[in-house]
Amino acid sequence: MSHKNFPMVPRVIFGRGSFNQLNEILAPKRLNIDAPFIFLIDDVFKGNTDLTSRISLSYDDRIIFISADEEPKTSQVDKLVEDIILNTKERPSGIIGIGGGTLLDLAKAVSIMLTNDGDSKSYQGWDLVKNPAVYHVGIPTISGTGAEVSRTTVLTGPDRKLGINSDYTPFDQVILDSDLTIGVPHEQWFYTGMDCYIHCIESLSGSYLNTFSQSYGDMAFELCQEVFLDNNLSEMESREKLMMASWHGGMSIAYSQVGVAHAMSYGLAYLLGTKHGIGNCLVFDHLEEFYPEGVKLFKQMKEKHNIILPKGICANLNDNDFDVMINIALGLTPLWENALGKNWQKIITKEKLKALYQKI
C-alpha cells in the first residue's frame, strides 16, 4: 500500500500585527522589476487604509479588489488570469490573497493557472495540475474555511462545483494575524466558524479517519467548543483560537475527507449560489441521522449566538432543480465513502437526498 505524500504550507507566521511583516517577506521573492506582485483583496477593504496603507507597492505591483458576495467561479479565475497576463510585462513574482475562503481560493487558483495551459475548469478534480504554481501567499481575514492550509481551491465551474486538488495548490506562505478578523459581521463570523466545526464533525466520524487527521480534528473541535460555547473567553482569545481552529480543521481534512453536509452544500451552491458556510449550516441542521451528537451541539451553538437560519430556500424548486443538486452531491464519491463507507450507494438514495433538500 502506498501512503499519500501531502505537501504542507512551508512557512507560516502567527500573531497579532504580523501582517506588518508582509513587505519584508515579499521583498526577497521579487524576481525582477518587471515581475510584479498582484494583491487580490476582498473589496470590503476598499477604502480601508488601515489595511492597504501597510502594503508597499513598487514598480508594476497591483491591487485588484474582488467581491466575495458569490462563490468563486472557474470563469472568474480565467478572467483574472487573462487580465494579469495582458497587463504585466512578465509572469508575476507572486499572488497574494487577502480575505476569506473565496479570496484565498481565487489566489490559489490564479497562481496555478498562470503556469498551466488551458482553462481552469480542466483542472477541477484530483492531481491534474502539471506545473508548479507561481509563489503565492494567503492572508485570511475571517476564520473557519481552512482554505489557508488546504490543498484544494474550490470552484464552481460550468458543470460542477469541485476543487482543484493538487500538490501545487497550498500556499507558500501564510500570515495569521487575528487583528485582521476584527469587525467581521456576527452572522458571517458564525457561519464561517461553523464551516470549521462541521469539518471536524465530518472528518472525526468518517471511515477515512486516521491518527494524523484525528489529532488535528480533535484540537480543532475543542477550540470550536471553546469559541462558541465558553463564556469566559476575551474577544482577542476568541479570535486567536478560531484562527487556530480553522488551521487545524484544514489540516485534519488533508488526510481524511468531509462528508454529507459538504456534499449537499455543494449542490446548493451550484444551483442557488448559496455561500459555503451558510450552506453547510442549512444542511447540517437536518443531519441528526448521520451526526447525532454533532448536530445537537450545533443547535446549542446556534441558540447561544441567536442565529436564525433562513427557511424555505428550496420551497419553490421543481423536480429538475432537485435533480441538478442531487447529481452534483452524488458526484462527490470520496465524501460519501468517508461518511457512510464503501456501500454508501445503498444507504443514500436520490429519494432520500431529495427529502433532505426539501426540508431546507
Side-chain angles (χ1 to χ4, degrees):
M1 163 185 177
S2 72
H3 293 282
K4 291 176 182 168
N5 187 8
F6 278 135
M8 302 247 199
V9 171
R11 291 185 168 262
V12 56
I13 179 169
F14 171 84
R16 298 175 61 206
S18 55
F19 182 70
N20 292 334
Q21 285 165 253
L22 176 63
N23 300 316
E24 65 186 83
I25 288 169
L26 293 181
K29 299 291 178 185
R30 190 181 293 279
L31 300 172
N32 61 58
I33 61 172
D34 291 330
F37 286 110
I38 310 286
F39 298 83
L40 306 179
I41 304 182
D42 188 322
D43 70 1
V44 298
F45 292 103
K46 217 175 188 167
N48 177 338
T49 49
D50 179 48
L51 182 99
T52 49
S53 66
R54 292 191 273 165
I55 298 171
S56 327
L57 299 179
S58 326
Y59 310 110
D60 297 329
D61 295 351
R62 279 173 73 193
I63 288 178
I64 303 174
F65 286 107
I66 297 171
S67 163
D69 287 346
E70 291 186 1
E71 296 283 277
K73 294 185 173 57
T74 52
S75 54
Q76 188 182 11
V77 171
D78 298 339
K79 276 200 193 83
L80 279 166
V81 169
E82 186 182 35
D83 171 22
I84 290 167
I85 289 170
L86 293 175
N87 291 296
T88 50
K89 295 180 190 132
E90 288 191 24
R91 184 182 286 163
S93 294
I95 302 292
I96 297 91
I98 304 176
T102 296
L103 267 291
L104 298 180
D105 279 346
L106 284 173
K108 289 194 279 193
V110 166
S111 65
I112 286 170
M113 293 312 301
L114 283 166
T115 55
N116 288 277
D117 294 337
D119 47 24
S120 51
K121 70 171 190 280
S122 343
Y123 296 93
Q124 283 181 284
W126 278 266
D127 301 306
L128 302 171
V129 178
K130 306 280 186 292
N131 304 315
V134 301
Y135 176 76
H136 51 305
V137 179
I139 306 174
T141 61
I142 184 170
S143 299
T145 66
E148 64 278 10
V149 69
S150 73
R151 75 186 284 279
T152 186
T153 161
V154 182
L155 301 170
T156 302
D159 312 311
R160 56 202 170 160
K161 181 178 170 184
L162 186 61
I164 299 178
N165 297 272
S166 88
D167 281 356
Y168 300 124
T169 308
F171 286 110
D172 298 295
Q173 168 82 55
V174 169
I175 295 177
L176 299 175
D177 180 346
S178 61
D179 281 353
L180 297 179
T181 66
I182 293 173
V184 170
H186 182 71
E187 289 196 342
Q188 202 182 353
W189 164 82
F190 182 84
Y191 293 138
T192 309
M194 284 301 107
D195 186 15
C196 176
Y197 170 73
I198 293 167
H199 276 165
C200 297
I201 300 295
E202 293 186 318
S203 157
L204 289 170
S205 60
S207 64
Y208 287 14
L209 188 66
N210 52 54
T211 315
F212 183 96
S213 297
Q214 183 162 6
S215 57
Y216 283 107
D218 284 343
M219 179 65 74
F221 179 61
E222 243 171 71
L223 288 164
C224 282
Q225 290 188 88
E226 284 186 53
V227 169
F228 292 102
L229 293 172
D230 184 346
N231 294 323
N232 301 317
L233 283 191
S234 70
E235 273 274 317
M236 186 190 83
E237 286 174 317
S238 168
R239 282 197 301 275
E240 294 207 327
K241 283 179 188 280
L242 190 56
M243 197 158 239
M244 285 326 294
S246 178
W247 181 269
H248 284 81
M251 286 293 297
S252 78
I253 303 302
Y255 246 110
S256 65
Q257 247 316 339
V258 283
V260 182
H262 275 74
M264 289 184 65
S265 170
Y266 275 32
L268 288 175
Y270 180 81
L271 183 76
L272 302 172
T274 312
K275 294 281 294 201
H276 183 65
I278 192 168
N280 280 343
C281 290
L282 287 166
V283 175
F284 196 68
D285 210 34
H286 299 288
L287 296 184
E288 288 92 344
E289 181 187 339
F290 305 103
Y291 308 109
E293 290 303 309
V295 174
K296 195 171 133 191
L297 210 53
F298 167 71
K299 289 184 189 280
Q300 281 176 25
M301 293 172 174
K302 206 173 57 164
E303 198 172 315
K304 179 170 161 55
H305 294 284
N306 302 318
I307 298 294
I308 295 165
L309 292 174
K311 288 212 172 19
I313 71 162
C314 295
N316 300 320
L317 299 182
N318 59 36
D319 287 346
N320 188 37
D321 293 332
F322 281 113
D323 284 344
V324 168
M325 292 198 297
I326 289 164
N327 290 333
I328 291 280
L330 289 177
L332 296 157
T333 306
L335 281 65
W336 293 107
E337 207 170 86
N338 177 50
L340 306 171
K342 291 271 186 237
N343 295 324
W344 64 272
Q345 279 155 310
K346 295 199 172 83
I347 303 169
I348 197 87
T349 59
K350 288 192 164 190
E351 293 70 37
K352 183 155 194 168
L353 264 187
K354 186 173 183 177
L356 280 169
Y357 275 128
Q358 283 170 327
K359 290 179 178 175
I360 296 168

Coordinates of all heavy atoms in Angstrom, one line a residue, residues 239-286:
R239 N -10.7 35.3 18.9 CA -10.3 35.4 17.5 C -9.0 34.5 17.3 O -9.0 33.9 16.2 CB -9.9 36.9 17.3 CG -11.0 37.8 17.0 CD -10.6 39.1 16.4 NE -9.6 39.8 17.2 CZ -9.9 40.7 18.2 NH1 -11.2 40.9 18.4 NH2 -9.0 41.3 18.9
E240 N -8.1 34.5 18.2 CA -6.9 33.7 18.0 C -7.2 32.2 18.0 O -6.7 31.4 17.2 CB -5.9 34.0 19.1 CG -5.3 35.4 19.0 CD -3.9 35.6 19.5 OE1 -3.6 34.9 20.5 OE2 -3.2 36.5 19.0
K241 N -8.1 31.8 18.9 CA -8.5 30.4 19.0 C -9.2 29.9 17.7 O -9.0 28.8 17.2 CB -9.3 30.1 20.2 CG -8.4 30.0 21.5 CD -9.3 29.7 22.7 CE -8.5 29.8 24.0 NZ -7.7 28.7 24.3
L242 N -10.1 30.8 17.2 CA -10.8 30.4 16.0 C -9.9 30.3 14.8 O -10.0 29.5 13.9 CB -12.0 31.4 15.7 CG -13.0 30.9 14.6 CD1 -13.6 29.5 14.9 CD2 -14.1 31.9 14.4
M243 N -8.9 31.2 14.8 CA -7.9 31.2 13.7 C -7.2 29.9 13.7 O -6.9 29.3 12.7 CB -7.0 32.4 13.8 CG -6.2 32.7 12.6 SD -5.6 34.5 12.7 CE -6.4 35.1 11.2
M244 N -6.8 29.4 14.9 CA -6.1 28.1 15.0 C -7.0 27.0 14.8 O -6.6 25.9 14.2 CB -5.4 28.0 16.4 CG -4.2 28.8 16.6 SD -3.2 29.1 15.1 CE -2.6 27.4 14.8
A245 N -8.3 27.1 15.1 CA -9.3 26.0 14.9 C -9.4 25.8 13.3 O -9.4 24.7 12.8 CB -10.6 26.4 15.4
S246 N -9.4 26.9 12.6 CA -9.5 26.9 11.2 C -8.3 26.2 10.6 O -8.4 25.3 9.7 CB -9.6 28.3 10.6 OG -9.7 28.3 9.2
W247 N -7.1 26.5 11.1 CA -5.9 25.9 10.6 C -5.9 24.4 10.9 O -5.6 23.6 10.0 CB -4.7 26.6 11.3 CG -3.4 26.1 10.9 CD1 -2.7 25.0 11.5 CD2 -2.5 26.6 9.9 NE1 -1.5 24.9 10.8 CE2 -1.4 25.8 9.8 CE3 -2.7 27.6 8.9 CZ2 -0.3 26.0 8.9 CZ3 -1.7 27.8 8.0 CH2 -0.5 27.1 8.0
H248 N -6.2 24.0 12.1 CA -6.2 22.6 12.5 C -7.3 21.8 11.7 O -7.1 20.7 11.3 CB -6.4 22.4 14.0 CG -5.1 22.7 14.7 ND1 -4.7 24.0 15.0 CD2 -4.2 21.9 15.2 CE1 -3.6 23.9 15.7 NE2 -3.2 22.7 15.8
G249 N -8.5 22.5 11.5 CA -9.6 21.9 10.8 C -9.2 21.6 9.4 O -9.4 20.5 8.8
G250 N -8.5 22.6 8.8 CA -8.0 22.4 7.4 C -7.0 21.3 7.3 O -7.0 20.5 6.4
M251 N -6.1 21.2 8.3 CA -5.1 20.1 8.4 C -5.7 18.7 8.5 O -5.3 17.8 8.0 CB -4.1 20.4 9.5 CG -3.2 21.5 9.3 SD -2.0 21.2 8.0 CE -1.1 19.7 8.7
S252 N -6.8 18.7 9.3 CA -7.4 17.4 9.6 C -8.0 16.8 8.3 O -8.1 15.6 8.1 CB -8.5 17.4 10.7 OG -9.7 18.0 10.2
I253 N -8.4 17.7 7.4 CA -9.0 17.2 6.1 C -7.9 16.7 5.2 O -8.2 15.8 4.3 CB -9.8 18.4 5.4 CG1 -10.9 19.0 6.3 CG2 -10.4 17.9 4.1 CD1 -11.9 18.0 6.8
A254 N -6.7 17.2 5.3 CA -5.6 16.8 4.4 C -5.5 15.3 4.3 O -5.3 14.7 3.2 CB -4.3 17.3 4.9
Y255 N -5.7 14.6 5.4 CA -5.5 13.1 5.4 C -6.8 12.4 5.6 O -6.9 11.2 5.8 CB -4.5 12.7 6.5 CG -3.3 12.1 5.9 CD1 -2.1 12.8 6.0 CD2 -3.3 10.9 5.3 CE1 -0.9 12.2 5.4 CE2 -2.2 10.3 4.7 CZ -1.0 11.0 4.8 OH 0.2 10.4 4.2
S256 N -7.9 13.1 5.5 CA -9.2 12.4 5.6 C -10.2 13.1 4.5 O -9.8 13.4 3.4 CB -9.8 12.5 7.0 OG -10.1 13.8 7.3
Q257 N -11.4 13.3 4.9 CA -12.4 13.9 4.0 C -13.5 14.5 4.8 O -13.6 14.2 6.0 CB -13.0 12.8 3.1 CG -12.6 12.9 1.6 CD -12.7 14.2 0.9 OE1 -13.4 15.2 1.4 NE2 -12.0 14.4 -0.2
V258 N -14.3 15.3 4.1 CA -15.5 15.8 4.7 C -16.7 14.8 4.4 O -16.4 13.7 4.0 CB -15.9 17.3 4.3 CG1 -15.0 18.2 5.0 CG2 -15.7 17.4 2.8
G259 N -17.9 15.2 4.6 CA -19.0 14.2 4.5 C -20.3 14.8 3.9 O -20.3 15.6 3.0
V260 N -21.4 14.3 4.5 CA -22.7 14.6 4.0 C -23.0 16.1 3.8 O -23.5 16.5 2.8 CB -23.8 13.9 4.9 CG1 -25.2 14.1 4.3 CG2 -23.5 12.4 5.1
A261 N -22.7 16.9 4.9 CA -23.1 18.3 4.8 C -22.4 19.0 3.6 O -23.0 19.8 2.9 CB -22.8 19.0 6.1
H262 N -21.1 18.7 3.5 CA -20.4 19.4 2.4 C -20.9 18.9 1.0 O -21.0 19.7 0.1 CB -18.9 19.1 2.6 CG -18.2 20.0 3.5 ND1 -18.3 20.0 4.9 CD2 -17.4 21.1 3.2 CE1 -17.6 21.0 5.4 NE2 -17.0 21.7 4.4
A263 N -21.1 17.6 0.9 CA -21.6 17.1 -0.4 C -22.9 17.8 -0.8 O -23.1 18.3 -1.9 CB -21.8 15.6 -0.3
M264 N -23.8 17.9 0.2 CA -25.1 18.5 -0.1 C -25.0 20.1 -0.3 O -25.7 20.7 -1.1 CB -26.1 18.2 1.0 CG -26.6 16.7 1.0 SD -27.8 16.4 2.2 CE -29.2 17.4 1.7
S265 N -24.1 20.7 0.5 CA -23.9 22.1 0.4 C -23.3 22.5 -1.0 O -23.7 23.5 -1.6 CB -22.9 22.5 1.5 OG -22.5 23.8 1.3
Y266 N -22.5 21.6 -1.6 CA -22.0 21.8 -3.0 C -23.2 21.9 -3.9 O -23.2 22.7 -4.9 CB -21.1 20.7 -3.4 CG -19.6 20.9 -3.0 CD1 -19.3 21.5 -1.8 CD2 -18.6 20.4 -3.7 CE1 -18.0 21.7 -1.3 CE2 -17.3 20.6 -3.3 CZ -17.0 21.2 -2.1 OH -15.7 21.4 -1.7
G267 N -24.2 21.1 -3.7 CA -25.4 21.1 -4.6 C -26.1 22.4 -4.5 O -26.5 23.0 -5.5
L268 N -26.3 22.9 -3.3 CA -27.0 24.2 -3.0 C -26.2 25.3 -3.7 O -26.8 26.2 -4.3 CB -27.1 24.5 -1.5 CG -28.1 23.7 -0.7 CD1 -27.9 24.1 0.8 CD2 -29.5 23.9 -1.1
A269 N -24.9 25.3 -3.5 CA -24.0 26.4 -4.1 C -24.1 26.4 -5.6 O -24.2 27.4 -6.2 CB -22.6 26.2 -3.6
Y270 N -24.1 25.2 -6.2 CA -24.1 25.1 -7.6 C -25.4 25.7 -8.2 O -25.4 26.5 -9.1 CB -23.8 23.7 -8.1 CG -23.8 23.6 -9.6 CD1 -22.7 23.9 -10.3 CD2 -25.0 23.2 -10.3 CE1 -22.7 23.9 -11.7 CE2 -25.0 23.1 -11.7 CZ -23.8 23.5 -12.4 OH -23.8 23.4 -13.8
L271 N -26.5 25.2 -7.6 CA -27.8 25.6 -8.2 C -28.2 27.0 -7.8 O -28.7 27.8 -8.6 CB -28.9 24.6 -7.8 CG -30.3 24.9 -8.4 CD1 -30.3 24.5 -9.8 CD2 -31.4 24.2 -7.6
L272 N -28.1 27.3 -6.5 CA -28.6 28.5 -5.9 C -27.6 29.6 -5.6 O -27.9 30.7 -5.2 CB -29.5 28.2 -4.7 CG -30.6 27.2 -4.8 CD1 -31.2 26.8 -3.5 CD2 -31.7 27.8 -5.7
G273 N -26.3 29.2 -5.7 CA -25.3 30.2 -5.4 C -25.1 30.4 -3.8 O -24.6 31.4 -3.4
T274 N -25.7 29.5 -3.1 CA -25.6 29.6 -1.6 C -24.2 29.6 -1.1 O -23.4 28.7 -1.5 CB -26.4 28.4 -0.9 OG1 -27.6 28.3 -1.5 CG2 -26.5 28.6 0.6
K275 N -23.8 30.6 -0.3 CA -22.5 30.7 0.2 C -22.1 29.4 1.0 O -23.0 28.9 1.7 CB -22.3 31.9 1.1 CG -22.4 33.2 0.3 CD -21.2 33.6 -0.5 CE -20.0 33.9 0.5 NZ -19.0 34.7 -0.1
H276 N -20.9 29.0 1.0 CA -20.5 27.7 1.5 C -20.8 27.6 3.0 O -21.4 26.6 3.5 CB -19.0 27.6 1.3 CG -18.5 26.2 1.8 ND1 -18.8 25.1 1.2 CD2 -17.6 25.9 2.8 CE1 -18.2 24.1 1.8 NE2 -17.5 24.6 2.8
G277 N -20.4 28.6 3.8 CA -20.6 28.5 5.3 C -22.1 28.3 5.7 O -22.5 27.4 6.4
I278 N -22.9 29.2 5.1 CA -24.4 29.1 5.4 C -25.0 27.8 4.8 O -25.8 27.2 5.4 CB -25.1 30.4 5.0 CG1 -26.5 30.4 5.6 CG2 -25.2 30.5 3.5 CD1 -27.2 31.7 5.4
G279 N -24.5 27.4 3.6 CA -25.0 26.2 3.0 C -24.8 25.0 3.9 O -25.6 24.2 4.1
N280 N -23.5 24.9 4.5 CA -23.2 23.8 5.4 C -24.2 23.8 6.6 O -24.6 22.8 7.0 CB -21.8 24.0 5.9 CG -20.8 23.5 4.9 OD1 -21.1 22.7 4.0 ND2 -19.5 23.8 5.1
C281 N -24.4 25.0 7.1 CA -25.3 25.1 8.3 C -26.7 24.7 8.0 O -27.4 24.0 8.7 CB -25.3 26.6 8.9 SG -23.8 27.0 9.6
L282 N -27.2 25.2 6.8 CA -28.6 24.8 6.4 C -28.8 23.3 6.3 O -29.8 22.8 6.7 CB -28.9 25.5 5.0 CG -29.1 27.0 5.0 CD1 -29.1 27.5 3.6 CD2 -30.5 27.3 5.7
V283 N -27.8 22.7 5.7 CA -27.9 21.2 5.6 C -27.7 20.5 6.9 O -28.4 19.6 7.3 CB -26.8 20.7 4.6 CG1 -26.8 19.2 4.5 CG2 -27.0 21.3 3.2
F284 N -26.6 20.9 7.6 CA -26.2 20.2 8.9 C -27.3 20.2 9.9 O -27.5 19.2 10.7 CB -25.0 20.9 9.4 CG -24.2 20.0 10.4 CD1 -23.6 18.9 10.1 CD2 -24.2 20.4 11.8 CE1 -22.9 18.1 11.0 CE2 -23.5 19.6 12.7 CZ -22.9 18.5 12.3
D285 N -28.1 21.2 9.9 CA -29.3 21.4 10.8 C -30.2 20.2 10.7 O -31.0 19.9 11.7 CB -30.0 22.7 10.5 CG -30.7 23.3 11.7 OD1 -30.1 23.1 12.8 OD2 -31.8 23.8 11.6
H286 N -30.2 19.4 9.6 CA -31.1 18.3 9.4 C -30.4 17.0 9.3 O -31.0 16.0 8.9 CB -31.9 18.5 8.1 CG -32.7 19.8 8.0 ND1 -33.8 20.0 8.8 CD2 -32.5 21.0 7.4 CE1 -34.3 21.2 8.6 NE2 -33.5 21.8 7.7

